Amino acid sequence: MLVVAFMAGGTQAIAEEAKKAVADVVVASQTELVLTPEQFESCRQVYFDRCAGCHGVLRKGATGGALTPDKTIPMGAKKLRDFIWHGTGGGMPGWGKMGVMTAAETDLMVKYIQNEPPIPPQWDMKNVKASWKLLIPPDKRPTKPEHNRDVSNMFAVTLRDAGQIAIIDGDTKEVISTVNSGYAVHIVRMSMSGRYVYTIGRDGKATMIDLWMKKPETVAEIRCSLDARSVDVSKFKGFEDKYAIVGGYWPPQFVILDGATLEPIKIVSTLGYTYDTEEFHPEPRVASIVASHFAPEWVMCVKETGQVWLVNYTDPNNPGIKMIEAERFLHDGGWDASRRYFLVAANMRNKVSIIDAKEQRLIANVDSQGIKPHPGRGANWVDPQFGPVWATGHIGDDVISIIGTDPVGHPDNAFKMVAKVQALSSGNLFIKTHSKSKWVWVDHPLSKNEEHRTTLGVFDKANIKGGIFKTVKVSDYGKAVHLEYNKAGDEMWVSIWGNLGDADKGKGGEIVVIDDATLTIKARIPNLVTATGKFNVYNTVHDVY
Ligand code: DHE
């Protein structure tokens, strides 16, 4: 029996490209695994939306385990159905229990993942160039801000399921502009000047928004791959905003762009060998990227091979690449307060890899003593006992790990876990503070406990070992996810992640603003469908977290 397979991708557009590019025919291994072409296509889309990020397009496994037929067929339908429906203790969401998949969809997915994965197409410079649109060239953009708002306290907010970015005035809380972006837009980074917002969609589409415009709009866009999660700009002195970089999940590659126009300059594949076993990996995806302040370089994590690449952009057509062996699988991370040390989660091994951007080397792989560290960019503060520290939470349990980051003033604590405290429960995704705040905040959007999903834990920096100082319940629907301060550090903003389908009931999503002095809710910014990541201009430019 034959099953027609299309490639993995995101949007309808990808499916169209795929149909042109791939007309593979996959033989289902058992009669009961047969899917019609329509069922296969719908499962392919569900897999891309819900599963590929953790398990990989080729299903070789990463944050989640491998899902190739040699693994899934022996596991059997019942076990697979249970995993998909109920989730796992390791952090996999229960898609059925959460109401994301019906029983019938779950059954189809069980069959789908027992079939061979479809092979996605490539996306080379010809495709990248053809997708580039310079909507407003630099000489047609404003020469000074067209408004009196404080650009440095604006927020760019990802409206995930709407594929849009909301630009919000942090002072007045007005939504100034809502701009289309890539599909399921993932993150935002700011230009060093603080004028431009760079976004990346899950479909690899990067956009650039000008905050000087009266109503900020997209000035350029480009599709650098078919599946992506990261973008950043050049920040080293003399190179501020000159170049941008977009990391790709599929194809596994990165593209260097002109920082003012997004015109593509260079495309580089990340295909290669795992750092430890030196086996070829067909899908080493680009995870987090940060811009070094010590050299004209990006610090770029290659997830599956466990390498951190230092990409030198002095001569972007001939980029220098230093490969540093770190750990697998590299995911998200951020700077310590001095911005010399980059700390990134290696979630397969429950480690935090620490890279010294000045000496361009790995300092340590610290055991995070929890399951699946997930820092976002982490949180930095000065502990009265341990000195400067950085912290991460975990998806798979309730551990908050605190790591010393000051080798000069506190050498005994540096690059070691100095303490661990407990969040409300497992399922933490983000942790945040501000240098002017007394508090460290954690969310629990993936908690198995429904109450905890909308409750934040607040820790007192002066007594971190005292555990949670206070809990703040922020919503009676959805999930409270991703934390960000305003520029002054006196308001903490959290997103409520609702459902696109519940928008007409006022439960599509919103932002809750908490007064940092009283730890009480001070404002709500409603009607922000699936509001997720929030990025304050000043804090993002200056790595305040
Ligand atoms: Fe993210 C950061 C990848 C799921 C919201 N996410 C990142 C980064 C990576 C990544 C590599 C770091 C980018 C950087 O710093 O350059 N995320 C992935 C996945 O592969 C994964 C596990 C599954 C997927 O298919 O995408 C995943 N992420 C999620 C979510 O489910 C979240 C909550 C909602 C969503 O958009 O899908 C989510 N990820 C975010 C946010 C950030 C992020 C808000 C930026 C955090 C920050 O403060 O910098």
Side-chain angles (χ1 to χ4, degrees):
M1 191 65 78
L2 299 179
V3 177
V4 179
F6 300 135
M7 47 71 74
T11 58
Q12 196 53 39
I14 303 179
E16 289 310 317
E17 282 143 19
K19 284 178 200 168
K20 278 185 236 140
V22 184
D24 278 354
V25 171
V26 175
V27 180
S29 42
Q30 294 173 15
T31 314
E32 65 269 27
L33 301 184
V34 171
L35 294 161
T36 65
E38 293 73 27
Q39 288 171 334
F40 197 93
E41 172 52 20
S42 113
C43 288
R44 184 199 61 72
Q45 184 68 45
V46 172
Y47 184 85
F48 177 79
D49 284 342
R50 306 289 175 195
C51 321
C54 291
H55 298 277
V57 179
L58 303 179
R59 298 202 223 130
K60 297 279 182 201
T63 309
L67 294 176
T68 39
D70 58 317
K71 302 268 188 302
T72 51
I73 290 175
M75 240 185 246
K78 186 179 173 316
K79 206 164 172 187
L80 293 171
R81 192 175 297 113
D82 279 354
F83 279 147
I84 299 174
W85 190 264
H86 296 289
T88 66
M92 172 161 159
W95 298 115
K97 248 174 56 185
M98 280 164 50
V100 173
M101 286 184 205
T102 62
E105 282 164 349
T106 305
D107 285 342
L108 287 179
M109 288 309 290
V110 167
K111 287 187 186 183
Y112 179 78
I113 57 174
Q114 294 181 87
N115 277 278
E116 283 297 331
I119 304 295
Q122 294 301 319
W123 190 256
D124 63 13
M125 191 48 128
K126 198 163 125 259
N127 303 111
V128 175
K129 271 205 170 125
S131 74
W132 176 52
K133 286 189 196 143
L134 182 57
L135 303 167
I136 307 179
D139 61 353
K140 298 274 182 316
R141 296 177 199 161
T143 49
K144 57 179 182 7
E146 293 176 334
H147 49 71
N148 294 323
R149 300 176 191 275
D150 177 4
V151 173
S152 66
N153 194 32
M154 285 185 181
F155 286 69
V157 179
T158 59
L159 306 181
R160 187 190 180 281
D161 291 357
Q164 291 179 322
I165 300 289
I167 304 296
I168 303 183
D169 182 326
D171 298 332
T172 63
K173 320 282 185 285
E174 267 170 278
V175 179
I176 316 164
S177 184
T178 305
V179 188
N180 288 336
S181 58
Y183 171 82
V185 58
H186 209 83
I187 72 158
V188 160
R189 296 292 183 244
M190 302 292 170
S191 67
M192 196 61 192
S193 64
R195 170 177 179 176
Y196 293 109
V197 172
Y198 294 80
T199 80
I200 184 70
R202 199 174 266 232
D203 56 358
K205 182 167 157 184
T207 69
M208 185 178 171
I209 303 165
D210 185 355
L211 297 179
W212 279 11
M213 297 167 96
K214 193 165 177 22
K215 192 165 190 288
E217 273 178 41
T218 305
V219 293
E221 63 176 56
I222 189 162
R223 186 125 184 247
C224 293
S225 55
L226 299 172
D227 185 1
R229 302 291 183 280
S230 45
V231 62
D232 209 348
V233 293
S234 52
K235 292 189 170 172
F236 187 62
K237 217 170 170 346
F239 290 87
E240 292 93 340
D241 302 347
K242 205 166 158 43
Y243 304 116
I245 181 170
V246 174
Y249 261 23
W250 186 270
Q253 61 196 25
F254 66 89
V255 180
I256 301 178
L257 309 167
D258 179 273
T261 63
L262 299 187
E263 183 173 7
I265 298 173
K266 184 76 185 171
I267 185 164
V268 180
S269 170
T270 51
L271 281 177
Y273 294 82
T274 51
Y275 92 92
D276 46 359
T277 57
E278 311 223 25
E279 286 161 285
F280 180 74
H281 200 291
E283 193 185 352
R285 300 177 289 175
V286 176
S288 43
I289 305 177
V290 290
S292 172
H293 299 273
F294 286 88
E297 285 175 346
W298 288 296
V299 181
M300 190 186 88
C301 297
V302 188
K303 187 189 279 279
E304 279 77 6
T305 49
Q307 296 171 348
V308 174
W309 288 15
L310 301 181
V311 179
N312 187 302
Y313 48 71
T314 319
D315 178 6
N317 285 102
N318 302 283
I321 296 178
K322 174 166 179 172
M323 297 179 189
I324 301 177
E325 296 185 346
E327 193 45 286
R328 292 158 74 185
F329 292 126
L330 299 171
H331 191 70
D332 52 352
W335 293 112
D336 77 309
S338 74
R339 297 191 296 184
R340 171 169 173 179
Y341 306 107
F342 174 61
L343 298 98
V344 56
N347 53 27
M348 181 197 187
R349 304 264 161 87
N350 299 328
K351 296 268 168 49
V352 171
S353 296
I354 308 178
I355 303 293
D356 181 346
K358 189 170 177 194
E359 292 185 2
Q360 303 175 313
R361 66 183 180 96
L362 176 81
I363 295 209
N365 284 318
V366 177
D367 188 340
S368 72
Q369 298 182 29
I371 302 167
K372 295 213 168 87
H374 191 278
R377 281 165 290 161
N380 287 291
W381 72 94
V382 180
D383 181 89
Q385 183 183 351
F386 307 116
V389 292
W390 176 95
T392 180
H394 293 79
I395 298 179
D397 65 35
D398 59 6
V399 172
I400 306 292
S401 316
I402 302 166
I403 296 172
T405 56
D406 177 23
V408 177
H410 300 80
D412 292 348
N413 300 325
F415 313 126
K416 290 182 192 135
M417 233 183 90
V418 291
K420 68 175 178 182
V421 291
Q422 253 182 312
L424 273 182
S425 60
S426 66
N428 162 250
L429 283 184
F430 299 105
I431 179 165
K432 189 59 62 94
T433 188
H434 185 285
S435 43
K436 299 219 174 83
S437 170
K438 289 162 63 178
W439 316 112
V440 180
W441 296 77
V442 298
D443 64 9
H444 313 83
L446 301 184
S447 175
K448 299 230 176 293
N449 178 321
E450 209 176 321
E451 274 296 292
H452 294 171
R453 282 182 221 146
T454 48
T455 306
L456 306 176
V458 191
F459 293 83
D460 182 355
K461 286 182 190 171
N463 178 24
I464 201 81
K465 284 198 190 152
I468 290 184
F469 172 81
K470 192 173 174 190
T471 57
V472 182
K473 168 95 176 151
V474 286
S475 169
D476 57 7
Y477 72 93
K479 301 185 191 98
V481 67
H482 195 256
L483 314 152
E484 175 69 312
Y485 270 89
N486 64 343
K487 180 183 173 188
D490 57 10
E491 286 173 0
M492 210 287 298
W493 292 30
V494 58
S495 304
I496 307 303
W497 220 25
N499 280 321
L500 195 56
D502 292 335
D504 55 347
K505 296 178 215 127
K507 292 188 172 179
E510 62 189 295
I511 287 174
V512 176
V513 179
I514 300 173
D515 179 73
D516 203 57
T518 58
L519 303 181
T520 54
I521 294 174
K522 109 178 216 195
R524 287 181 178 268
I525 310 173
N527 305 323
L528 296 169
V529 172
T530 53
T532 312
K534 298 157 300 305
F535 302 86
N536 173 272
V537 171
Y538 183 89
N539 295 343
T540 310
V541 170
H542 298 281
D543 298 297
V544 180
Y545 40 80

